[in-house]
Amino acid sequence: DVKVTQSSRYLVKRTGEKVFLECVQDMDHENMFWYRQDPGLGLRLIYFSYDVKMKEKGDIPEGYSVSREKKERFSLILESASTNQTSMYLCASSLPSGPNEQFFGPGTRLTVL
Amino acid sequence: AQSVTQLDSQVPVFEEAPVELRCNYSSSVSVYLFWYVQYPNQGLQLLLKYLSGSTLVKGINGFEAEFNKSQTSFHLRKPSVHISDTAEYFCAVRRGSARQLTFGSGTQLTVLP
């Protein structure tokens, strides 16, 4: 079974702090994704990566950056957290394009005070 | 750009009744279609996917979906729901050459006793 794990289920941070969200997958997938999920808005893509050190902006990249130094690990970074970044963050991975579905982690609920 | 519309944000239904969750997408090119389910405080889990071939796709937990190319729809159905089907359901589309999915805004299915 594909397993995608996220470093924290719940996280509380203060405005202005630097926040790291870590995601690890164990199925050697090329693609990895970070989404945020907000009520009524569904999932919105922040960034994705299709190879080590490669990244592409998604629909809402402002205020975020990412890092992929190893194939299995994809990190989301909030350089200076703000209250409007309070959300559920979901990581996913998949094989390259085509009919391959994405496999999701359990999510990190981030609260910025 | 792809867009996915889930026409109902909330669907309440009594236990053992049938249910249909609607999904329409915008595209005239080859697409792959997915339905995911999210139980409270969990990540997304794949219910079913349409790749090609038969327009009726069967998934887990007794769900099925019908691909209708002329109406660009991919509605999810279950003939008899259970309390345990209470969850949020997301429709997603992937254009054949794309790496990422585009998600709908989600439908909260609540099964009442």
Side-chain angles (χ1 to χ4, degrees):
Chain A
D1 276 355
V2 176
K3 195 163 185 182
V4 180
T5 57
Q6 296 183 228
S7 50
S8 306
R9 292 300 305 274
Y10 300 93
L11 210 52
V12 180
K13 296 292 182 181
R14 296 205 177 274
T15 302
E17 280 192 82
K18 190 169 186 176
V19 181
F20 292 87
L21 303 182
E22 303 283 335
C23 175
V24 177
Q25 50 95 3
D26 66 359
M27 281 301 290
D28 204 35
H29 283 169
E30 286 79 1
N31 295 339
M32 295 188 75
F33 306 84
W34 275 107
Y35 295 91
R36 66 175 281 175
Q37 181 182 11
D38 300 289
L41 298 178
L43 276 72
R44 293 180 291 167
L45 183 63
I46 304 172
Y47 268 98
F48 69 98
S49 168
Y50 52 91
D51 202 349
V52 175
K53 297 191 186 295
M54 306 302 289
K55 61 186 180 185
E56 282 194 26
K57 293 180 180 179
D59 301 317
I60 52 164
E62 296 79 18
Y64 303 94
S65 61
V66 290
S67 172
R68 194 167 180 198
E69 297 295 321
K70 293 185 177 181
K71 190 175 185 180
E72 68 271 17
R73 189 180 297 269
F74 191 35
S75 302
L76 180 69
I77 304 154
L78 287 65
E79 295 288 343
S80 178
S82 64
T83 55
N84 63 12
Q85 293 178 309
T86 291
S87 187
M88 171 71 92
Y89 290 87
L90 292 164
C91 175
S93 72
S94 76
L95 291 168
S97 62
N100 302 297
E101 69 265 32
Q102 292 182 11
F103 294 85
F104 283 82
T108 295
R109 187 166 294 281
L110 173 67
T111 301
V112 182
L113 301 175
Chain B
Q2 278 286 1
S3 71
V4 180
T5 303
Q6 291 185 244
L7 296 161
D8 306 297
S9 60
Q10 306 224 11
V11 174
V13 63
F14 287 108
E15 194 173 17
E16 297 183 7
V19 71
E20 178 179 82
L21 306 183
R22 296 180 292 170
C23 173
N24 286 86
Y25 64 95
S26 68
S27 177
S28 59
V29 299
S30 170
V31 293
Y32 304 107
L33 298 158
F34 305 83
W35 274 100
Y36 283 86
V37 60
Q38 185 181 33
Y39 299 104
N41 298 315
Q42 294 186 26
L44 275 68
Q45 176 184 351
L46 184 70
L47 266 181
L48 49 80
K49 60 183 177 182
Y50 173 78
L51 309 179
S52 64
S54 173
T55 57
L56 186 63
V57 181
K58 294 192 182 297
I60 62 171
N61 301 340
F63 283 92
E64 62 184 30
E66 185 156 20
F67 171 60
N68 188 319
K69 189 174 182 178
S70 62
Q71 296 187 4
T72 60
S73 68
F74 190 53
H75 300 334
L76 181 70
R77 300 186 182 106
K78 186 169 183 178
S80 175
V81 293
H82 302 126
I83 297 285
S84 59
D85 292 323
T86 294
E88 190 152 24
Y89 292 79
F90 292 94
C91 181
V93 172
R94 182 182 220 168
R95 212 176 61 239
S97 59
R99 294 185 177 92
Q100 66 267 42
L101 295 176
T102 300
F103 284 85
S105 56
T107 298
Q108 174 64 44
L109 173 66
T110 301
V111 181
L112 305 165

Short mmCIF file of all heavy atoms in Angstrom, two decimals, chain A residues 6-10 12-13 28 30 39-40 44 48 68 70-72 75 77 87 90 92-93 99 101-103 107:
data_model
loop_
_atom_site.label_atom_id
_atom_site.label_comp_id
_atom_site.label_asym_id
_atom_site.label_seq_id
_atom_site.Cartn_x
_atom_site.Cartn_y
_atom_site.Cartn_z
N GLN A 6 2.51 12.74 7.02
CA GLN A 6 2.77 14.16 7.27
C GLN A 6 3.24 14.31 8.70
O GLN A 6 2.78 13.60 9.60
CB GLN A 6 1.52 14.99 6.98
CG GLN A 6 1.13 14.93 5.52
CD GLN A 6 -0.07 15.79 5.18
OE1 GLN A 6 -1.00 15.34 4.53
NE2 GLN A 6 -0.05 17.05 5.60
N SER A 7 4.15 15.24 8.90
CA SER A 7 4.89 15.29 10.16
C SER A 7 4.01 15.60 11.37
O SER A 7 4.29 15.14 12.47
CB SER A 7 6.01 16.33 10.07
OG SER A 7 5.50 17.56 9.58
N SER A 8 2.95 16.37 11.18
CA SER A 8 2.09 16.72 12.31
C SER A 8 0.63 16.64 11.89
O SER A 8 0.29 16.93 10.76
CB SER A 8 2.37 18.15 12.80
OG SER A 8 3.72 18.34 13.09
N ARG A 9 -0.24 16.22 12.80
CA ARG A 9 -1.67 16.27 12.52
C ARG A 9 -2.25 17.65 12.88
O ARG A 9 -3.13 18.15 12.20
CB ARG A 9 -2.41 15.20 13.32
CG ARG A 9 -2.12 13.77 12.88
CD ARG A 9 -2.49 13.52 11.43
NE ARG A 9 -3.87 13.84 11.11
CZ ARG A 9 -4.89 13.01 11.27
NH1 ARG A 9 -4.71 11.80 11.76
NH2 ARG A 9 -6.11 13.37 10.94
N TYR A 10 -1.74 18.22 13.97
CA TYR A 10 -2.19 19.52 14.43
C TYR A 10 -0.97 20.37 14.76
O TYR A 10 0.00 19.88 15.33
CB TYR A 10 -3.09 19.40 15.67
CG TYR A 10 -4.32 18.57 15.44
CD1 TYR A 10 -4.34 17.21 15.71
CD2 TYR A 10 -5.49 19.15 14.92
CE1 TYR A 10 -5.47 16.44 15.49
CE2 TYR A 10 -6.62 18.39 14.70
CZ TYR A 10 -6.61 17.05 14.98
OH TYR A 10 -7.72 16.30 14.74
N VAL A 12 0.02 24.56 16.02
CA VAL A 12 -0.38 25.91 16.37
C VAL A 12 0.86 26.79 16.36
O VAL A 12 1.85 26.47 17.02
CB VAL A 12 -1.05 25.96 17.76
CG1 VAL A 12 -1.46 27.39 18.09
CG2 VAL A 12 -2.26 25.04 17.80
N LYS A 13 0.81 27.87 15.60
CA LYS A 13 1.94 28.78 15.47
C LYS A 13 1.47 30.21 15.66
O LYS A 13 0.28 30.51 15.58
CB LYS A 13 2.58 28.62 14.08
CG LYS A 13 3.20 27.26 13.84
CD LYS A 13 4.41 27.04 14.70
CE LYS A 13 5.06 25.70 14.43
NZ LYS A 13 6.24 25.47 15.29
N ASP A 28 8.10 5.69 -4.10
CA ASP A 28 8.98 6.09 -5.19
C ASP A 28 8.24 6.90 -6.27
O ASP A 28 8.57 6.83 -7.45
CB ASP A 28 9.65 4.86 -5.82
CG ASP A 28 10.95 5.21 -6.52
OD1 ASP A 28 11.67 6.11 -6.04
OD2 ASP A 28 11.25 4.59 -7.57
N GLU A 30 7.17 10.01 -8.53
CA GLU A 30 7.85 11.20 -9.05
C GLU A 30 7.17 12.49 -8.61
O GLU A 30 7.84 13.48 -8.34
CB GLU A 30 7.90 11.15 -10.59
CG GLU A 30 8.89 10.16 -11.17
CD GLU A 30 8.39 8.72 -11.16
OE1 GLU A 30 7.25 8.44 -10.73
OE2 GLU A 30 9.15 7.84 -11.60
N PRO A 39 -13.18 25.32 3.91
CA PRO A 39 -14.61 25.02 3.71
C PRO A 39 -15.18 25.79 2.52
O PRO A 39 -15.00 27.00 2.39
CB PRO A 39 -15.23 25.47 5.03
CG PRO A 39 -14.13 25.36 6.03
CD PRO A 39 -12.89 25.73 5.29
N GLY A 40 -15.89 25.07 1.66
CA GLY A 40 -16.54 25.68 0.52
C GLY A 40 -15.64 25.96 -0.67
O GLY A 40 -16.12 26.35 -1.74
N ARG A 44 -7.17 23.42 -3.04
CA ARG A 44 -6.48 24.32 -3.95
C ARG A 44 -4.98 24.00 -3.93
O ARG A 44 -4.38 23.88 -2.87
CB ARG A 44 -6.73 25.78 -3.54
CG ARG A 44 -8.18 26.21 -3.73
CD ARG A 44 -8.38 27.66 -3.31
NE ARG A 44 -8.24 27.82 -1.87
CZ ARG A 44 -8.11 29.00 -1.27
NH1 ARG A 44 -8.11 30.11 -1.98
NH2 ARG A 44 -8.01 29.06 0.04
N PHE A 48 3.58 22.00 -6.66
CA PHE A 48 3.87 20.60 -6.86
C PHE A 48 5.28 20.42 -7.39
O PHE A 48 5.91 21.39 -7.87
CB PHE A 48 2.82 19.92 -7.75
CG PHE A 48 2.81 20.35 -9.19
CD1 PHE A 48 3.46 19.61 -10.15
CD2 PHE A 48 2.10 21.48 -9.58
CE1 PHE A 48 3.42 19.98 -11.48
CE2 PHE A 48 2.06 21.86 -10.91
CZ PHE A 48 2.72 21.11 -11.87
N ARG A 68 12.36 20.20 -2.24
CA ARG A 68 12.40 18.76 -2.48
C ARG A 68 13.85 18.37 -2.77
O ARG A 68 14.31 18.42 -3.90
CB ARG A 68 11.48 18.36 -3.63
CG ARG A 68 11.27 16.83 -3.66
CD ARG A 68 10.17 16.45 -4.57
NE ARG A 68 9.96 15.01 -4.60
CZ ARG A 68 9.31 14.40 -5.56
NH1 ARG A 68 8.81 15.09 -6.57
NH2 ARG A 68 9.15 13.10 -5.52
N LYS A 70 15.08 15.31 -1.62
CA LYS A 70 15.07 13.86 -1.85
C LYS A 70 13.74 13.47 -2.47
O LYS A 70 12.72 14.12 -2.24
CB LYS A 70 15.28 13.11 -0.53
CG LYS A 70 16.64 13.29 0.08
CD LYS A 70 16.79 12.41 1.31
CE LYS A 70 18.20 12.56 1.88
NZ LYS A 70 18.40 11.70 3.07
N LYS A 71 13.75 12.39 -3.22
CA LYS A 71 12.55 12.01 -3.97
C LYS A 71 11.36 11.76 -3.05
O LYS A 71 10.23 12.05 -3.39
CB LYS A 71 12.85 10.77 -4.80
CG LYS A 71 11.76 10.43 -5.80
CD LYS A 71 12.18 9.26 -6.68
CE LYS A 71 11.15 8.99 -7.77
NZ LYS A 71 11.56 7.85 -8.63
N GLU A 72 11.60 11.19 -1.88
CA GLU A 72 10.50 10.78 -1.03
C GLU A 72 9.97 11.90 -0.13
O GLU A 72 8.95 11.72 0.52
CB GLU A 72 10.94 9.60 -0.14
CG GLU A 72 11.99 9.93 0.90
CD GLU A 72 13.42 9.77 0.40
OE1 GLU A 72 13.62 9.74 -0.84
OE2 GLU A 72 14.33 9.67 1.25
N SER A 75 8.66 19.33 1.29
CA SER A 75 8.39 20.22 2.41
C SER A 75 7.69 21.49 1.94
O SER A 75 8.04 22.05 0.89
CB SER A 75 9.70 20.61 3.11
OG SER A 75 10.38 19.47 3.56
N ILE A 77 6.88 25.37 3.17
CA ILE A 77 7.43 26.35 4.10
C ILE A 77 6.58 27.62 4.05
O ILE A 77 6.30 28.15 2.96
CB ILE A 77 8.89 26.69 3.72
CG1 ILE A 77 9.73 25.40 3.70
CG2 ILE A 77 9.48 27.71 4.70
CD1 ILE A 77 10.92 25.45 2.80
N SER A 87 -5.47 26.78 8.11
CA SER A 87 -6.13 25.91 7.15
C SER A 87 -5.73 24.45 7.40
O SER A 87 -4.88 24.16 8.24
CB SER A 87 -5.72 26.31 5.72
OG SER A 87 -6.46 25.59 4.74
N LEU A 90 -2.87 19.43 2.94
CA LEU A 90 -2.83 18.04 2.50
C LEU A 90 -1.69 17.84 1.51
O LEU A 90 -1.53 18.62 0.58
CB LEU A 90 -4.15 17.66 1.83
CG LEU A 90 -5.37 17.59 2.74
CD1 LEU A 90 -6.64 17.58 1.92
CD2 LEU A 90 -5.31 16.37 3.63
N ALA A 92 0.10 15.06 -1.21
CA ALA A 92 -0.25 13.92 -2.04
C ALA A 92 0.92 13.55 -2.92
O ALA A 92 1.83 14.36 -3.16
CB ALA A 92 -1.48 14.23 -2.91
N SER A 93 0.89 12.31 -3.42
CA SER A 93 1.93 11.89 -4.36
C SER A 93 1.29 11.03 -5.45
O SER A 93 0.20 10.48 -5.27
CB SER A 93 3.04 11.10 -3.65
OG SER A 93 2.59 9.81 -3.25
N PRO A 99 -3.37 8.19 -16.21
CA PRO A 99 -4.52 7.79 -15.40
C PRO A 99 -4.20 7.52 -13.94
O PRO A 99 -5.02 6.93 -13.24
CB PRO A 99 -4.95 6.49 -16.09
CG PRO A 99 -3.68 5.92 -16.62
CD PRO A 99 -2.86 7.09 -17.05
N GLU A 101 -3.89 7.97 -10.09
CA GLU A 101 -4.50 8.80 -9.07
C GLU A 101 -3.46 9.33 -8.10
O GLU A 101 -2.33 8.85 -8.05
CB GLU A 101 -5.56 8.00 -8.30
CG GLU A 101 -5.00 6.89 -7.42
CD GLU A 101 -5.00 5.55 -8.12
OE1 GLU A 101 -4.85 5.51 -9.37
OE2 GLU A 101 -5.14 4.54 -7.41
N GLN A 102 -3.86 10.31 -7.31
CA GLN A 102 -3.01 10.83 -6.25
C GLN A 102 -3.36 10.14 -4.94
O GLN A 102 -4.51 9.83 -4.67
CB GLN A 102 -3.20 12.34 -6.11
CG GLN A 102 -2.67 13.11 -7.32
CD GLN A 102 -2.81 14.60 -7.19
OE1 GLN A 102 -3.12 15.13 -6.12
NE2 GLN A 102 -2.55 15.32 -8.27
N PHE A 103 -2.33 9.91 -4.15
CA PHE A 103 -2.49 9.30 -2.83
C PHE A 103 -2.22 10.38 -1.79
O PHE A 103 -1.21 11.08 -1.87
CB PHE A 103 -1.52 8.14 -2.66
CG PHE A 103 -1.80 6.99 -3.57
CD1 PHE A 103 -1.29 6.97 -4.86
CD2 PHE A 103 -2.60 5.93 -3.17
CE1 PHE A 103 -1.55 5.92 -5.73
CE2 PHE A 103 -2.87 4.87 -4.01
CZ PHE A 103 -2.36 4.87 -5.30
N GLY A 107 -3.21 14.83 6.46
CA GLY A 107 -3.45 16.26 6.61
C GLY A 107 -2.84 16.83 7.88
O GLY A 107 -2.65 16.12 8.87
#
